[in-house]
Amino acid sequence: MPLAYDALVLAGGGARRLGGADKPGVRVGGRSLLDRVLAACSGARTTVVVADPRPTSRPVSWAREEPPGGGPLAALDAGLRLSTAEYVVLLSADLPFLDGPTVDELLTALRASTADGVLLTDADGRDQPLVAAYRTAALRRGLAVLAERHGALTGLPLRRLTGALDLTRILGPVASFDCDTWDDIAAARARIREHGHVLDEWISAVKDELGIELDVDTGVLLDLARDAAHGVARPAAPLTTFLVGYAAARAGGDQEAVAEAARKAAALATRWADEDTTDAAPAQPADRPSDAADTAPGGAPDPAQAPGTRPDAE
């Protein structure tokens, strides 16, 4: 069974290396960085974003540290006040390549261990404590100790907390890639347009835009579009896939409904195309002798069609 968890997304930083730009709102692949992170943790029971409220693609709860801009530990403390789950996934809002399977991997590793948390490390082996899953109780204990020791959490670095925790590490150079500079943003935008990534990125963006959670076999739909384009006409491809989607929605809208509608349309496209190659020769009339075509007027064999002769033979 999937592990029940809450997600805490810290999105209130100053983005000094981006010149003070609204980093969570910067778009990569048509979606804001914040929306991309929210899509990755869509399985959370509750998602808390620590920042000033803004429009998002998914419903979230909002929290704010006191004072605003008080640092990651103050923000974490504010988010935890709205969390009731035994496990939390703690994320920054600038992770363009984080995905659901990575979040699941973190939670699975945490459940299988006795550690306080499991975090990703980047390509250089550095810890990324804001791409991690933690036991909520361990975070609360650590924050309480720090608050008592320092009088407040404002301004304290995150390592004051994570350095005292028992952590397990997983290498994740892609999922842990964060966008601190405009060069990072440019690199992320370039990567999602590479041949091996662009289709999945586009499908994910469309599903987010339309509010669709359904996972479908894109290979089946692409094969259907190809068959409709080649066997019928090019405009038949987009129209057919639209009609398949409409039919699947009327049939319940689940993955099986899409597969069944695609199967029927693909079979129809095959039958349509086969008509050009099967039964192409008309059957001879039943009342006509099979050798009638070889018979000259009056019943004599046509010399031009006699075996071994040619029309120009002397």
Side-chain angles (χ1 to χ4, degrees), residues 141-190:
R141 284 195 304 268
L143 290 172
V145 168
L146 290 171
E148 182 178 359
R149 181 181 302 162
H150 297 277
L153 298 172
T154 303
L156 295 179
L158 189 58
R159 63 178 179 272
R160 291 287 184 91
L161 172 65
T162 57
L165 298 178
D166 176 22
L167 300 177
T168 297
R169 291 158 176 82
I170 297 175
L171 179 63
V174 176
S176 66
F177 179 86
D178 57 357
C179 293
D180 290 329
T181 67
W182 287 113
D183 284 344
D184 294 336
I185 297 292
R189 288 171 172 169

Side-chain angles (χ1 to χ4, degrees), residues 191-206:
R191 185 180 189 278
I192 67 169
R193 286 169 172 78
E194 294 174 358
H195 177 71
H197 306 287
V198 65
L199 185 58
D200 288 340
E201 287 285 348
W202 172 248
I203 295 299
S204 295
V206 171

